[in-house]
Amino acid sequence: MKKEILIFTGIFLFLAIGMHFKEWTSHPLDHAAALPHAGAYGLGAIHPLIFTLTIYIVVLVFRGIVRLIKRLK
């Protein structure tokens, strides 16, 4: 469970910093404070969690396929 939380958090940070690098380096507190008013694809404040969960599920499926292939060998 701890490993999965670390993976989820890593994906979250990678996406947040990757997509909003300029905002996080110039004015991070203002950027975080504006989150409730975000309009990303109509998802609002929960868009970081939805995008992170989507990528996490893709990674999870990929890890499952790799684990299955290793088990079959």
Short mmCIF file of all heavy atoms in Angstrom, two decimals:
data_model
loop_
_atom_site.label_atom_id
_atom_site.label_comp_id
_atom_site.label_asym_id
_atom_site.label_seq_id
_atom_site.Cartn_x
_atom_site.Cartn_y
_atom_site.Cartn_z
N MET A 1 0.82 -1.19 0.00
CA MET A 1 0.00 0.00 0.00
C MET A 1 0.87 1.26 0.00
O MET A 1 0.56 2.22 -0.70
CB MET A 1 -0.92 -0.03 1.22
CG MET A 1 -1.87 1.10 1.29
SD MET A 1 -3.11 0.90 0.02
CE MET A 1 -4.33 2.00 0.58
N LYS A 2 1.93 1.23 0.78
CA LYS A 2 2.81 2.39 0.87
C LYS A 2 3.47 2.65 -0.48
O LYS A 2 3.60 3.81 -0.90
CB LYS A 2 3.87 2.14 1.94
CG LYS A 2 4.73 3.31 2.26
CD LYS A 2 5.66 2.96 3.42
CE LYS A 2 6.49 4.14 3.82
NZ LYS A 2 7.40 3.82 4.93
N LYS A 3 3.84 1.59 -1.18
CA LYS A 3 4.46 1.73 -2.50
C LYS A 3 3.49 2.36 -3.49
O LYS A 3 3.87 3.22 -4.28
CB LYS A 3 4.92 0.35 -3.00
CG LYS A 3 5.58 0.38 -4.34
CD LYS A 3 5.98 -1.02 -4.77
CE LYS A 3 6.55 -1.02 -6.16
NZ LYS A 3 6.89 -2.37 -6.61
N GLU A 4 2.24 1.96 -3.43
CA GLU A 4 1.23 2.49 -4.35
C GLU A 4 0.97 3.98 -4.08
O GLU A 4 0.78 4.76 -5.02
CB GLU A 4 -0.06 1.69 -4.26
CG GLU A 4 0.09 0.23 -4.63
CD GLU A 4 0.66 0.01 -6.01
OE1 GLU A 4 0.28 0.73 -6.96
OE2 GLU A 4 1.49 -0.89 -6.16
N ILE A 5 0.96 4.36 -2.82
CA ILE A 5 0.77 5.78 -2.47
C ILE A 5 1.95 6.60 -2.98
O ILE A 5 1.76 7.71 -3.50
CB ILE A 5 0.56 5.95 -0.96
CG1 ILE A 5 -0.78 5.35 -0.57
CG2 ILE A 5 0.63 7.42 -0.55
CD1 ILE A 5 -1.03 5.28 0.92
N LEU A 6 3.15 6.06 -2.87
CA LEU A 6 4.33 6.75 -3.38
C LEU A 6 4.27 6.88 -4.90
O LEU A 6 4.64 7.93 -5.46
CB LEU A 6 5.60 6.04 -2.95
CG LEU A 6 5.99 6.20 -1.49
CD1 LEU A 6 7.18 5.31 -1.16
CD2 LEU A 6 6.29 7.65 -1.17
N ILE A 7 3.82 5.85 -5.58
CA ILE A 7 3.69 5.90 -7.04
C ILE A 7 2.65 6.94 -7.43
O ILE A 7 2.87 7.77 -8.33
CB ILE A 7 3.34 4.52 -7.62
CG1 ILE A 7 4.52 3.57 -7.44
CG2 ILE A 7 2.93 4.61 -9.09
CD1 ILE A 7 4.20 2.13 -7.78
N PHE A 8 1.50 6.95 -6.77
CA PHE A 8 0.44 7.91 -7.06
C PHE A 8 0.93 9.34 -6.81
O PHE A 8 0.71 10.23 -7.64
CB PHE A 8 -0.79 7.60 -6.19
CG PHE A 8 -1.99 8.44 -6.54
CD1 PHE A 8 -2.83 8.05 -7.56
CD2 PHE A 8 -2.28 9.60 -5.85
CE1 PHE A 8 -3.94 8.81 -7.89
CE2 PHE A 8 -3.38 10.37 -6.17
CZ PHE A 8 -4.21 9.97 -7.19
N THR A 9 1.61 9.55 -5.69
CA THR A 9 2.13 10.87 -5.37
C THR A 9 3.19 11.30 -6.37
O THR A 9 3.23 12.47 -6.79
CB THR A 9 2.72 10.88 -3.94
OG1 THR A 9 1.71 10.45 -3.02
CG2 THR A 9 3.21 12.25 -3.55
N GLY A 10 4.03 10.37 -6.78
CA GLY A 10 5.04 10.69 -7.79
C GLY A 10 4.43 11.09 -9.11
O GLY A 10 4.88 12.06 -9.75
N ILE A 11 3.41 10.38 -9.53
CA ILE A 11 2.71 10.73 -10.76
C ILE A 11 2.06 12.10 -10.63
O ILE A 11 2.14 12.93 -11.54
CB ILE A 11 1.67 9.65 -11.14
CG1 ILE A 11 2.36 8.35 -11.53
CG2 ILE A 11 0.77 10.13 -12.27
CD1 ILE A 11 1.41 7.17 -11.69
N PHE A 12 1.45 12.34 -9.49
CA PHE A 12 0.79 13.63 -9.24
C PHE A 12 1.80 14.77 -9.35
O PHE A 12 1.56 15.77 -10.04
CB PHE A 12 0.13 13.63 -7.86
CG PHE A 12 -0.49 14.95 -7.50
CD1 PHE A 12 -1.74 15.28 -7.99
CD2 PHE A 12 0.16 15.85 -6.68
CE1 PHE A 12 -2.32 16.50 -7.67
CE2 PHE A 12 -0.40 17.06 -6.35
CZ PHE A 12 -1.65 17.39 -6.85
N LEU A 13 2.94 14.64 -8.67
CA LEU A 13 3.95 15.70 -8.69
C LEU A 13 4.54 15.86 -10.09
O LEU A 13 4.77 16.99 -10.54
CB LEU A 13 5.04 15.40 -7.67
CG LEU A 13 4.61 15.52 -6.21
CD1 LEU A 13 5.73 15.07 -5.29
CD2 LEU A 13 4.17 16.94 -5.90
N PHE A 14 4.80 14.75 -10.77
CA PHE A 14 5.34 14.81 -12.12
C PHE A 14 4.39 15.57 -13.05
O PHE A 14 4.82 16.44 -13.82
CB PHE A 14 5.59 13.40 -12.65
CG PHE A 14 6.10 13.35 -14.04
CD1 PHE A 14 7.42 13.65 -14.31
CD2 PHE A 14 5.26 13.00 -15.09
CE1 PHE A 14 7.91 13.61 -15.62
CE2 PHE A 14 5.73 12.95 -16.39
CZ PHE A 14 7.06 13.26 -16.65
N LEU A 15 3.10 15.25 -12.98
CA LEU A 15 2.12 15.92 -13.84
C LEU A 15 1.94 17.39 -13.45
O LEU A 15 1.87 18.26 -14.32
CB LEU A 15 0.78 15.20 -13.77
CG LEU A 15 0.72 13.81 -14.40
CD1 LEU A 15 -0.64 13.18 -14.14
CD2 LEU A 15 1.01 13.87 -15.88
N ALA A 16 1.86 17.65 -12.15
CA ALA A 16 1.64 19.03 -11.69
C ALA A 16 2.80 19.94 -12.08
O ALA A 16 2.61 21.04 -12.59
CB ALA A 16 1.44 19.06 -10.18
N ILE A 17 4.01 19.47 -11.85
CA ILE A 17 5.18 20.29 -12.17
C ILE A 17 5.40 20.32 -13.68
O ILE A 17 5.76 21.36 -14.24
CB ILE A 17 6.42 19.77 -11.42
CG1 ILE A 17 6.23 20.00 -9.92
CG2 ILE A 17 7.68 20.46 -11.91
CD1 ILE A 17 7.27 19.34 -9.04
N GLY A 18 5.17 19.21 -14.34
CA GLY A 18 5.35 19.17 -15.79
C GLY A 18 4.39 20.06 -16.55
O GLY A 18 4.77 20.73 -17.52
N MET A 19 3.15 20.10 -16.13
CA MET A 19 2.15 20.89 -16.85
C MET A 19 2.14 22.36 -16.44
O MET A 19 1.73 23.22 -17.21
CB MET A 19 0.75 20.30 -16.63
CG MET A 19 0.58 18.92 -17.22
SD MET A 19 0.91 18.84 -18.98
CE MET A 19 -0.37 19.86 -19.63
N HIS A 20 2.54 22.65 -15.22
CA HIS A 20 2.47 24.01 -14.69
C HIS A 20 3.81 24.45 -14.12
O HIS A 20 3.87 25.07 -13.06
CB HIS A 20 1.41 24.10 -13.60
CG HIS A 20 0.05 23.66 -14.03
ND1 HIS A 20 -0.73 24.40 -14.88
CD2 HIS A 20 -0.67 22.55 -13.76
CE1 HIS A 20 -1.87 23.77 -15.10
NE2 HIS A 20 -1.85 22.62 -14.43
N PHE A 21 4.90 24.17 -14.84
CA PHE A 21 6.23 24.45 -14.32
C PHE A 21 6.43 25.94 -14.04
O PHE A 21 6.91 26.32 -12.98
CB PHE A 21 7.30 23.96 -15.29
CG PHE A 21 8.70 24.15 -14.79
CD1 PHE A 21 9.20 23.30 -13.82
CD2 PHE A 21 9.49 25.19 -15.25
CE1 PHE A 21 10.48 23.47 -13.32
CE2 PHE A 21 10.77 25.36 -14.77
CZ PHE A 21 11.26 24.51 -13.80
N LYS A 22 6.04 26.77 -14.99
CA LYS A 22 6.23 28.22 -14.83
C LYS A 22 5.45 28.75 -13.62
O LYS A 22 5.96 29.55 -12.84
CB LYS A 22 5.81 28.94 -16.10
CG LYS A 22 6.15 30.41 -16.11
CD LYS A 22 5.88 31.02 -17.46
CE LYS A 22 4.63 31.85 -17.37
NZ LYS A 22 4.27 32.51 -18.61
N GLU A 23 4.23 28.28 -13.45
CA GLU A 23 3.41 28.74 -12.33
C GLU A 23 3.97 28.27 -10.99
O GLU A 23 3.95 29.00 -10.01
CB GLU A 23 1.96 28.25 -12.49
CG GLU A 23 1.20 28.92 -13.61
CD GLU A 23 1.45 28.28 -14.97
OE1 GLU A 23 2.25 27.32 -15.05
OE2 GLU A 23 0.85 28.76 -15.94
N TRP A 24 4.47 27.03 -10.95
CA TRP A 24 5.00 26.50 -9.69
C TRP A 24 6.33 27.12 -9.31
O TRP A 24 6.70 27.15 -8.14
CB TRP A 24 5.14 24.98 -9.75
CG TRP A 24 3.83 24.28 -9.57
CD1 TRP A 24 3.15 23.60 -10.53
CD2 TRP A 24 3.03 24.21 -8.39
NE1 TRP A 24 1.97 23.11 -10.01
CE2 TRP A 24 1.89 23.48 -8.69
CE3 TRP A 24 3.18 24.71 -7.09
CZ2 TRP A 24 0.89 23.22 -7.76
CZ3 TRP A 24 2.19 24.45 -6.17
CH2 TRP A 24 1.06 23.72 -6.50
N THR A 25 7.08 27.59 -10.29
CA THR A 25 8.37 28.21 -9.97
C THR A 25 8.24 29.71 -9.73
O THR A 25 9.03 30.28 -8.98
CB THR A 25 9.40 27.97 -11.08
OG1 THR A 25 8.88 28.42 -12.32
CG2 THR A 25 9.77 26.50 -11.16
N SER A 26 7.25 30.37 -10.34
CA SER A 26 7.14 31.82 -10.18
C SER A 26 6.25 32.21 -9.00
O SER A 26 6.61 33.08 -8.21
CB SER A 26 6.65 32.46 -11.46
OG SER A 26 5.35 32.00 -11.77
N HIS A 27 5.08 31.60 -8.88
CA HIS A 27 4.15 31.96 -7.79
C HIS A 27 3.31 30.74 -7.39
O HIS A 27 2.13 30.65 -7.72
CB HIS A 27 3.26 33.13 -8.20
CG HIS A 27 2.62 32.97 -9.56
ND1 HIS A 27 3.27 33.26 -10.72
CD2 HIS A 27 1.39 32.53 -9.92
CE1 HIS A 27 2.47 33.01 -11.74
NE2 HIS A 27 1.33 32.57 -11.27
N PRO A 28 3.91 29.80 -6.65
CA PRO A 28 3.21 28.56 -6.32
C PRO A 28 2.01 28.73 -5.39
O PRO A 28 1.01 28.04 -5.55
CB PRO A 28 4.29 27.70 -5.66
CG PRO A 28 5.31 28.66 -5.20
CD PRO A 28 5.27 29.82 -6.16
N LEU A 29 2.08 29.63 -4.43
CA LEU A 29 0.96 29.82 -3.51
C LEU A 29 -0.26 30.40 -4.22
O LEU A 29 -1.39 29.99 -3.96
CB LEU A 29 1.37 30.68 -2.33
CG LEU A 29 2.44 30.07 -1.42
CD1 LEU A 29 2.81 31.04 -0.32
CD2 LEU A 29 1.98 28.76 -0.85
N ASP A 30 -0.03 31.35 -5.11
CA ASP A 30 -1.14 31.91 -5.89
C ASP A 30 -1.76 30.86 -6.79
O ASP A 30 -2.97 30.80 -6.96
CB ASP A 30 -0.67 33.09 -6.73
CG ASP A 30 -0.25 34.28 -5.90
OD1 ASP A 30 -0.70 34.37 -4.73
OD2 ASP A 30 0.53 35.11 -6.41
N HIS A 31 -0.91 30.03 -7.36
CA HIS A 31 -1.39 28.97 -8.24
C HIS A 31 -2.24 27.96 -7.47
O HIS A 31 -3.31 27.55 -7.92
CB HIS A 31 -0.21 28.27 -8.92
CG HIS A 31 -0.61 27.26 -9.93
ND1 HIS A 31 -1.25 27.56 -11.09
CD2 HIS A 31 -0.46 25.91 -9.93
CE1 HIS A 31 -1.48 26.46 -11.77
NE2 HIS A 31 -1.01 25.44 -11.09
N ALA A 32 -1.78 27.56 -6.29
CA ALA A 32 -2.54 26.61 -5.47
C ALA A 32 -3.83 27.24 -4.95
O ALA A 32 -4.86 26.57 -4.86
CB ALA A 32 -1.67 26.13 -4.31
N ALA A 33 -3.79 28.52 -4.65
CA ALA A 33 -4.99 29.21 -4.15
C ALA A 33 -6.05 29.34 -5.25
O ALA A 33 -7.25 29.42 -4.95
CB ALA A 33 -4.62 30.57 -3.61
N ALA A 34 -5.64 29.38 -6.50
CA ALA A 34 -6.58 29.51 -7.62
C ALA A 34 -7.19 28.17 -8.03
O ALA A 34 -8.06 28.14 -8.90
CB ALA A 34 -5.87 30.15 -8.81
N LEU A 35 -6.79 27.10 -7.42
CA LEU A 35 -7.28 25.77 -7.79
C LEU A 35 -8.80 25.63 -7.71
O LEU A 35 -9.40 25.04 -8.62
CB LEU A 35 -6.60 24.70 -6.94
CG LEU A 35 -6.85 23.25 -7.33
CD1 LEU A 35 -6.38 23.00 -8.75
CD2 LEU A 35 -6.12 22.33 -6.38
N PRO A 36 -9.47 26.16 -6.70
CA PRO A 36 -10.94 26.01 -6.68
C PRO A 36 -11.65 26.67 -7.86
O PRO A 36 -12.78 26.32 -8.18
CB PRO A 36 -11.35 26.69 -5.37
CG PRO A 36 -10.14 26.63 -4.52
CD PRO A 36 -8.98 26.73 -5.46
N HIS A 37 -10.99 27.59 -8.52
CA HIS A 37 -11.60 28.29 -9.65
C HIS A 37 -11.09 27.78 -10.99
O HIS A 37 -11.33 28.42 -12.02
CB HIS A 37 -11.34 29.79 -9.53
CG HIS A 37 -11.73 30.34 -8.20
ND1 HIS A 37 -13.04 30.47 -7.80
CD2 HIS A 37 -10.98 30.76 -7.16
CE1 HIS A 37 -13.08 30.95 -6.58
NE2 HIS A 37 -11.83 31.14 -6.16
N ALA A 38 -10.39 26.67 -10.98
CA ALA A 38 -9.82 26.13 -12.22
C ALA A 38 -10.92 25.63 -13.13
O ALA A 38 -11.93 25.10 -12.68
CB ALA A 38 -8.85 24.99 -11.89
N GLY A 39 -10.71 25.78 -14.41
CA GLY A 39 -11.72 25.37 -15.37
C GLY A 39 -11.20 24.34 -16.34
O GLY A 39 -11.60 24.34 -17.50
N ALA A 40 -10.32 23.48 -15.91
CA ALA A 40 -9.69 22.50 -16.80
C ALA A 40 -10.72 21.48 -17.28
O ALA A 40 -11.15 20.61 -16.53
CB ALA A 40 -8.54 21.80 -16.09
N TYR A 41 -11.11 21.59 -18.54
CA TYR A 41 -12.05 20.65 -19.17
C TYR A 41 -13.35 20.50 -18.40
O TYR A 41 -13.97 19.44 -18.41
CB TYR A 41 -11.38 19.29 -19.37
CG TYR A 41 -10.11 19.37 -20.16
CD1 TYR A 41 -8.88 19.24 -19.53
CD2 TYR A 41 -10.15 19.58 -21.53
CE1 TYR A 41 -7.70 19.32 -20.26
CE2 TYR A 41 -8.99 19.67 -22.27
CZ TYR A 41 -7.76 19.54 -21.63
OH TYR A 41 -6.60 19.62 -22.35
N GLY A 42 -13.74 21.53 -17.68
CA GLY A 42 -14.98 21.50 -16.93
C GLY A 42 -14.92 20.68 -15.65
O GLY A 42 -15.94 20.42 -15.04
N LEU A 43 -13.72 20.26 -15.23
CA LEU A 43 -13.58 19.43 -14.03
C LEU A 43 -13.36 20.25 -12.77
O LEU A 43 -13.50 19.73 -11.67
CB LEU A 43 -12.44 18.43 -14.22
CG LEU A 43 -12.61 17.46 -15.38
CD1 LEU A 43 -11.35 16.65 -15.57
CD2 LEU A 43 -13.79 16.57 -15.15
N GLY A 44 -12.95 21.48 -12.92
CA GLY A 44 -12.75 22.35 -11.77
C GLY A 44 -11.60 21.93 -10.89
O GLY A 44 -10.55 21.49 -11.36
N ALA A 45 -11.81 22.03 -9.59
CA ALA A 45 -10.74 21.81 -8.61
C ALA A 45 -10.27 20.36 -8.53
O ALA A 45 -9.17 20.11 -8.05
CB ALA A 45 -11.20 22.29 -7.24
N ILE A 46 -11.07 19.41 -8.98
CA ILE A 46 -10.65 18.02 -8.86
C ILE A 46 -9.89 17.52 -10.08
O ILE A 46 -9.52 16.35 -10.14
CB ILE A 46 -11.86 17.09 -8.59
CG1 ILE A 46 -12.85 17.13 -9.74
CG2 ILE A 46 -12.51 17.43 -7.27
CD1 ILE A 46 -13.91 16.06 -9.66
N HIS A 47 -9.62 18.39 -11.06
CA HIS A 47 -8.94 17.94 -12.27
C HIS A 47 -7.56 17.33 -12.01
O HIS A 47 -7.22 16.35 -12.68
CB HIS A 47 -8.88 19.05 -13.33
CG HIS A 47 -7.85 20.08 -13.12
ND1 HIS A 47 -8.06 21.19 -12.35
CD2 HIS A 47 -6.58 20.18 -13.59
CE1 HIS A 47 -6.98 21.94 -12.35
NE2 HIS A 47 -6.05 21.35 -13.09
N PRO A 48 -6.78 17.79 -11.04
CA PRO A 48 -5.48 17.12 -10.82
C PRO A 48 -5.65 15.67 -10.37
O PRO A 48 -4.90 14.79 -10.80
CB PRO A 48 -4.81 17.95 -9.73
CG PRO A 48 -5.50 19.26 -9.74
CD PRO A 48 -6.89 18.99 -10.20
N LEU A 49 -6.64 15.42 -9.54
CA LEU A 49 -6.85 14.05 -9.06
C LEU A 49 -7.38 13.14 -10.16
O LEU A 49 -6.98 11.98 -10.25
CB LEU A 49 -7.79 14.05 -7.87
CG LEU A 49 -7.26 14.74 -6.62
CD1 LEU A 49 -8.31 14.75 -5.52
CD2 LEU A 49 -5.99 14.08 -6.14
N ILE A 50 -8.24 13.66 -11.00
CA ILE A 50 -8.79 12.85 -12.09
C ILE A 50 -7.70 12.51 -13.10
O ILE A 50 -7.58 11.35 -13.53
CB ILE A 50 -9.98 13.56 -12.76
CG1 ILE A 50 -11.15 13.61 -11.78
CG2 ILE A 50 -10.37 12.87 -14.06
CD1 ILE A 50 -12.34 14.36 -12.27
N PHE A 51 -6.87 13.49 -13.46
CA PHE A 51 -5.79 13.22 -14.42
C PHE A 51 -4.77 12.26 -13.82
O PHE A 51 -4.28 11.36 -14.50
CB PHE A 51 -5.11 14.52 -14.85
CG PHE A 51 -6.01 15.44 -15.64
CD1 PHE A 51 -5.79 16.81 -15.63
CD2 PHE A 51 -7.06 14.96 -16.39
CE1 PHE A 51 -6.60 17.66 -16.36
CE2 PHE A 51 -7.88 15.80 -17.12
CZ PHE A 51 -7.64 17.16 -17.11
N THR A 52 -4.45 12.45 -12.54
CA THR A 52 -3.49 11.57 -11.89
C THR A 52 -4.04 10.16 -11.79
O THR A 52 -3.33 9.19 -12.06
CB THR A 52 -3.15 12.09 -10.48
OG1 THR A 52 -2.65 13.42 -10.59
CG2 THR A 52 -2.12 11.21 -9.80
N LEU A 53 -5.31 10.01 -11.45
CA LEU A 53 -5.92 8.70 -11.35
C LEU A 53 -5.94 8.00 -12.72
O LEU A 53 -5.68 6.80 -12.80
CB LEU A 53 -7.34 8.80 -10.79
CG LEU A 53 -8.07 7.50 -10.57
CD1 LEU A 53 -7.34 6.64 -9.54
CD2 LEU A 53 -9.49 7.76 -10.13
N THR A 54 -6.20 8.76 -13.77
CA THR A 54 -6.20 8.18 -15.11
C THR A 54 -4.83 7.63 -15.48
O THR A 54 -4.71 6.49 -15.95
CB THR A 54 -6.64 9.24 -16.15
OG1 THR A 54 -7.93 9.74 -15.78
CG2 THR A 54 -6.68 8.66 -17.54
N ILE A 55 -3.78 8.42 -15.26
CA ILE A 55 -2.43 7.97 -15.56
C ILE A 55 -2.03 6.82 -14.64
O ILE A 55 -1.38 5.86 -15.07
CB ILE A 55 -1.42 9.14 -15.45
CG1 ILE A 55 -1.78 10.24 -16.44
CG2 ILE A 55 0.00 8.66 -15.65
CD1 ILE A 55 -1.77 9.81 -17.89
N TYR A 56 -2.44 6.87 -13.38
CA TYR A 56 -2.13 5.79 -12.44
C TYR A 56 -2.75 4.48 -12.90
O TYR A 56 -2.11 3.43 -12.83
CB TYR A 56 -2.63 6.15 -11.04
CG TYR A 56 -2.43 5.05 -10.03
CD1 TYR A 56 -1.18 4.77 -9.52
CD2 TYR A 56 -3.50 4.28 -9.60
CE1 TYR A 56 -0.98 3.76 -8.60
CE2 TYR A 56 -3.32 3.27 -8.70
CZ TYR A 56 -2.06 3.01 -8.19
OH TYR A 56 -1.88 1.99 -7.29
N ILE A 57 -3.97 4.52 -13.39
CA ILE A 57 -4.63 3.30 -13.89
C ILE A 57 -3.88 2.75 -15.10
O ILE A 57 -3.69 1.53 -15.22
CB ILE A 57 -6.12 3.56 -14.19
CG1 ILE A 57 -6.87 3.79 -12.87
CG2 ILE A 57 -6.74 2.43 -14.99
CD1 ILE A 57 -8.30 4.27 -13.04
N VAL A 58 -3.43 3.63 -15.98
CA VAL A 58 -2.64 3.18 -17.15
C VAL A 58 -1.36 2.50 -16.68
O VAL A 58 -0.99 1.43 -17.18
CB VAL A 58 -2.35 4.36 -18.09
CG1 VAL A 58 -1.34 3.98 -19.15
CG2 VAL A 58 -3.62 4.88 -18.72
N VAL A 59 -0.67 3.12 -15.73
CA VAL A 59 0.57 2.54 -15.18
C VAL A 59 0.26 1.21 -14.50
O VAL A 59 1.02 0.24 -14.64
CB VAL A 59 1.26 3.53 -14.22
CG1 VAL A 59 2.37 2.87 -13.43
CG2 VAL A 59 1.78 4.72 -14.98
N LEU A 60 -0.83 1.14 -13.77
CA LEU A 60 -1.22 -0.08 -13.07
C LEU A 60 -1.49 -1.22 -14.05
O LEU A 60 -1.04 -2.35 -13.82
CB LEU A 60 -2.45 0.19 -12.20
CG LEU A 60 -2.84 -0.85 -11.19
CD1 LEU A 60 -1.75 -0.98 -10.12
CD2 LEU A 60 -4.16 -0.47 -10.54
N VAL A 61 -2.17 -0.92 -15.14
CA VAL A 61 -2.44 -1.94 -16.16
C VAL A 61 -1.12 -2.41 -16.78
O VAL A 61 -0.91 -3.61 -16.96
CB VAL A 61 -3.41 -1.40 -17.23
CG1 VAL A 61 -3.47 -2.31 -18.44
CG2 VAL A 61 -4.80 -1.21 -16.64
N PHE A 62 -0.24 -1.47 -17.10
CA PHE A 62 1.05 -1.82 -17.67
C PHE A 62 1.86 -2.69 -16.71
O PHE A 62 2.44 -3.70 -17.12
CB PHE A 62 1.83 -0.55 -18.03
CG PHE A 62 3.18 -0.82 -18.61
CD1 PHE A 62 3.31 -1.32 -19.89
CD2 PHE A 62 4.33 -0.60 -17.88
CE1 PHE A 62 4.55 -1.58 -20.44
CE2 PHE A 62 5.57 -0.85 -18.40
CZ PHE A 62 5.69 -1.35 -19.68
N ARG A 63 1.88 -2.33 -15.42
CA ARG A 63 2.59 -3.13 -14.43
C ARG A 63 1.98 -4.52 -14.31
O ARG A 63 2.69 -5.52 -14.14
CB ARG A 63 2.56 -2.44 -13.07
CG ARG A 63 3.46 -1.23 -13.02
CD ARG A 63 3.32 -0.45 -11.74
NE ARG A 63 3.54 -1.27 -10.57
CZ ARG A 63 3.00 -1.03 -9.39
NH1 ARG A 63 2.20 0.00 -9.22
NH2 ARG A 63 3.26 -1.81 -8.37
N GLY A 64 0.66 -4.62 -14.42
CA GLY A 64 -0.01 -5.91 -14.36
C GLY A 64 0.35 -6.79 -15.55
O GLY A 64 0.57 -8.00 -15.40
N ILE A 65 0.42 -6.20 -16.73
CA ILE A 65 0.81 -6.95 -17.93
C ILE A 65 2.24 -7.45 -17.80
O ILE A 65 2.54 -8.62 -18.11
CB ILE A 65 0.61 -6.09 -19.19
CG1 ILE A 65 -0.88 -5.86 -19.44
CG2 ILE A 65 1.27 -6.74 -20.40
CD1 ILE A 65 -1.18 -4.83 -20.51
N VAL A 66 3.14 -6.59 -17.34
CA VAL A 66 4.55 -7.01 -17.15
C VAL A 66 4.63 -8.12 -16.13
O VAL A 66 5.34 -9.11 -16.33
CB VAL A 66 5.40 -5.79 -16.75
CG1 VAL A 66 6.78 -6.23 -16.30
CG2 VAL A 66 5.52 -4.80 -17.90
N ARG A 67 3.88 -8.02 -15.04
CA ARG A 67 3.90 -9.05 -14.00
C ARG A 67 3.36 -10.37 -14.55
O ARG A 67 3.88 -11.44 -14.24
CB ARG A 67 3.07 -8.60 -12.80
CG ARG A 67 3.12 -9.57 -11.64
CD ARG A 67 2.37 -9.05 -10.45
NE ARG A 67 3.06 -7.87 -9.96
CZ ARG A 67 2.51 -6.98 -9.15
NH1 ARG A 67 1.26 -7.12 -8.77
NH2 ARG A 67 3.19 -5.93 -8.73
N LEU A 68 2.32 -10.30 -15.38
CA LEU A 68 1.75 -11.50 -15.97
C LEU A 68 2.74 -12.17 -16.92
O LEU A 68 2.89 -13.39 -16.93
CB LEU A 68 0.46 -11.15 -16.70
CG LEU A 68 -0.32 -12.29 -17.34
CD1 LEU A 68 -0.80 -13.26 -16.25
CD2 LEU A 68 -1.48 -11.76 -18.13
N ILE A 69 3.42 -11.36 -17.72
CA ILE A 69 4.42 -11.91 -18.65
C ILE A 69 5.55 -12.57 -17.88
O ILE A 69 6.02 -13.65 -18.26
CB ILE A 69 4.93 -10.80 -19.59
CG1 ILE A 69 3.83 -10.40 -20.56
CG2 ILE A 69 6.16 -11.27 -20.36
CD1 ILE A 69 4.13 -9.18 -21.40
N LYS A 70 6.02 -11.95 -16.81
CA LYS A 70 7.09 -12.55 -16.00
C LYS A 70 6.64 -13.86 -15.38
O LYS A 70 7.42 -14.79 -15.24
CB LYS A 70 7.53 -11.57 -14.91
CG LYS A 70 8.40 -10.46 -15.41
CD LYS A 70 8.87 -9.58 -14.27
CE LYS A 70 9.76 -8.46 -14.76
NZ LYS A 70 10.23 -7.62 -13.64
N ARG A 71 5.40 -13.91 -14.95
CA ARG A 71 4.87 -15.12 -14.31
C ARG A 71 4.76 -16.26 -15.32
O ARG A 71 4.94 -17.43 -14.98
CB ARG A 71 3.51 -14.85 -13.69
CG ARG A 71 3.01 -15.98 -12.83
CD ARG A 71 1.70 -15.68 -12.19
NE ARG A 71 1.84 -14.52 -11.30
CZ ARG A 71 0.82 -13.87 -10.77
NH1 ARG A 71 -0.42 -14.25 -11.06
NH2 ARG A 71 1.01 -12.85 -9.97
N LEU A 72 4.46 -15.95 -16.58
CA LEU A 72 4.30 -16.98 -17.60
C LEU A 72 5.65 -17.55 -18.06
O LEU A 72 5.69 -18.67 -18.59
CB LEU A 72 3.55 -16.42 -18.81
CG LEU A 72 2.08 -16.08 -18.55
CD1 LEU A 72 1.47 -15.46 -19.78
CD2 LEU A 72 1.30 -17.33 -18.16
N LYS A 73 6.71 -16.80 -17.87
CA LYS A 73 8.03 -17.30 -18.30
C LYS A 73 8.60 -18.29 -17.36
O LYS A 73 8.52 -18.48 -16.29
CB LYS A 73 9.01 -16.13 -18.44
CG LYS A 73 8.73 -15.34 -19.69
CD LYS A 73 9.81 -14.29 -19.88
CE LYS A 73 9.56 -13.55 -21.16
NZ LYS A 73 10.57 -12.58 -21.44
#
